[in-house]
Amino acid sequence: MNNNILFIYLFLIQFLSIWCDNYNEDNDWDVLVFTQRWPLTVCSQWIKENSNHSCRLPDYEDIWTVHGIWPTKSGTRGPWNCDDTWKFNESAVAPIESDLQEFWINIEKNTALTSLWEHEWKKHGTCAAVLPQLNNELKFFKQGLEWIKMFNMKSILLKYNIIPSLNGYEVENIFNSIKNVLNHDPVVQCVVDKESKETLISEIQICFDRSFNLIDCDPVEKNFRKDGILTDCSLKKKVFYPNKVLSLLNAETFDSDKKSSFDELLETRNYWISIYKTIKFLIWATI
Ligand SMILES: *[C@@H]1O[C@H](CO)[C@@H](O)[C@H](O)[C@H]1NC(C)=O
Ligand SMILES: *[C@@H]1O[C@H](CO)[C@@H](O)[C@H](O)[C@H]1NC(C)=O
């Protein structure tokens, strides 16, 4: 008898938790995370992933571009994919498509031009659409364009003399500069270059509430907190904010008169790689 009651009880708990999960999936979110990316870092990574890869870069190469607007439930990620029946329709964004190609560009050239927009709409836009201000594609993508123009990290970082170059910056410096301009905590994200092991700035997130007021990103990215700043970048090493696409095969990198430590590092590596390849070739040729 007791066992039966326990069973029913467990069943009810299970049922309720599934029901609550589904509810969460729908439209339970409180923060809009607006993510911008640094095209030259994204491109450097994309090219290194596969030698056949190439990039679409914005005409003004040194602007930050939109990655996405991500409805987020504090302390979690998502919800995602809130309406699988609502497919991305390119005609709906036709009036702003030339702007999207500049400011919300799909850097990964070996994929379709519209694939970033398609992905962002399906995964995040359909969840943002519960807000009247974002309830169709045109409004959603227009909002991204508005924010990237208002909050472009190029001009925000410039206020504190943080400019694209091959000199590194402290991540604290980057974080605090943005915080000082916006009065709210951003999230600063990096990638580590596989070959040089250097850290490159890749994305910056700022956060809005459901009324589009800027708020601190703290509730969103608890796991990123390090010494009072929100980042996954190394606090021990300088972070590069590159002013060109970095690629081991980029001859231009090795021609310049004034070489930064980063260039030198790449050059040294390239030298050893070519020696290694030569030795391998000699071994192969003499067998
Ligand atoms: C690059 O593309 C060529 C031709 O499409 C293919 O044969 C080769 O395997 C590709 N290389 C890589 C590293 O994927
Ligand atoms: C796509 O958008 C255009 C322009 O808003 C609209 O006329 C058309 O009906 C839409 N197509 C679909 C399949 O929803």
Side-chain angles (χ1 to χ4, degrees):
M1 206 47 187
N2 274 347
N3 276 351
N4 279 347
I5 289 169
L6 186 66
F7 180 79
I8 289 167
Y9 185 69
L10 287 175
F11 175 81
L12 271 176
I13 287 178
Q14 182 78 8
F15 174 79
L16 277 174
S17 73
I18 288 170
W19 185 78
C20 288
D21 278 354
N22 282 341
Y23 174 73
N24 280 342
E25 283 304 308
D26 280 334
N27 54 25
D28 187 15
W29 54 265
D30 44 19
V31 181
L32 286 165
V33 177
F34 176 60
T35 303
Q36 351 188 342
R37 52 204 329 216
W38 180 238
L40 295 175
T41 296
V42 177
C43 174
S44 300
Q45 294 304 105
W46 177 243
I47 284 178
K48 285 185 181 187
E49 220 174 81
N50 183 317
S51 55
N52 288 346
H53 284 174
S54 59
C55 302
R56 284 188 202 93
L57 290 171
D59 287 339
Y60 301 101
E61 274 192 19
D62 52 0
I63 54 166
W64 287 68
T65 57
V66 184
H67 186 174
I69 301 174
W70 303 336
T72 302
K73 171 86 181 147
S74 289
T76 67
R77 302 198 173 236
W80 297 310
N81 305 317
C82 295
D83 184 353
D84 287 338
T85 64
W86 198 345
K87 303 282 181 228
F88 177 77
N89 172 359
E90 191 179 356
S91 323
V93 296
I96 54 168
E97 193 166 336
S98 63
D99 255 12
L100 290 178
Q101 282 185 35
E102 179 73 11
F103 295 100
W104 200 325
I105 191 169
N106 178 14
I107 293 162
E108 290 145 2
K109 193 171 183 177
N110 310 68
T111 61
L113 175 69
T114 56
S115 64
L116 173 64
W117 309 330
E118 251 174 73
H119 171 82
E120 292 300 317
W121 173 254
K122 181 173 173 289
K123 187 167 176 187
H124 306 285
T126 55
C127 300
V130 292
L131 288 188
Q133 305 95 303
L134 300 175
N135 65 2
N136 65 39
E137 274 174 64
L138 188 59
K139 290 183 187 174
F140 177 76
F141 286 99
K142 259 190 170 166
Q143 189 60 55
L145 293 177
E146 193 175 306
W147 279 340
I148 198 68
K149 289 172 187 172
M150 271 174 86
F151 298 107
N152 202 290
M153 285 301 151
K154 183 71 194 306
S155 39
I156 290 177
L157 292 172
L158 186 62
K159 292 198 168 109
Y160 284 83
N161 292 321
I162 297 175
I163 53 166
S165 68
L166 286 173
N167 305 317
Y169 295 96
E170 308 286 338
V171 66
E172 287 95 327
N173 230 336
I174 296 174
F175 179 88
N176 287 325
S177 302
I178 301 165
K179 189 185 167 106
N180 286 343
V181 176
L182 301 180
N183 278 317
H184 290 285
D185 290 349
V187 178
V188 179
Q189 294 190 289
C190 290
V191 292
V192 176
D193 184 75
K194 280 201 196 93
E195 274 142 331
S196 63
K197 304 284 185 254
E198 294 297 347
T199 298
L200 309 177
I201 191 165
S202 153
E203 300 204 319
I204 293 176
Q205 305 181 335
I206 58 176
C207 298
F208 297 87
D209 66 16
R210 286 174 73 119
S211 310
F212 296 4
N213 301 306
L214 265 174
I215 55 171
D216 290 338
C217 288
D218 298 53
V220 175
E221 298 289 5
K222 285 201 177 77
N223 300 335
F224 281 115
R225 183 167 282 287
K226 280 186 190 170
D227 288 0
I229 70 174
L230 305 175
T231 189
D232 66 352
C233 308
S234 166
L235 298 184
K236 297 192 191 96
K237 293 175 72 176
K238 294 235 170 161
V239 170
F240 289 95
Y241 178 16
N243 59 357
K244 56 185 165 189
V245 176
L246 299 172
S247 152
L248 277 180
L249 304 171
N250 185 354
E252 189 196 326
T253 310
F254 309 114
D255 287 345
S256 59
D257 298 337
K258 194 173 147 281
K259 287 179 183 125
S260 74
S261 60
F262 194 83
D263 282 332
E264 271 164 20
L265 195 74
L266 288 178
E267 185 168 277
T268 312
R269 286 190 65 88
N270 223 29
Y271 172 76
W272 286 110
I273 287 167
S274 72
I275 293 208
Y276 170 75
K277 284 188 174 158
T278 309
I279 291 170
K280 263 187 83 167
F281 172 76
L282 287 175
I283 291 171
W284 174 80
T286 53
I287 282 174

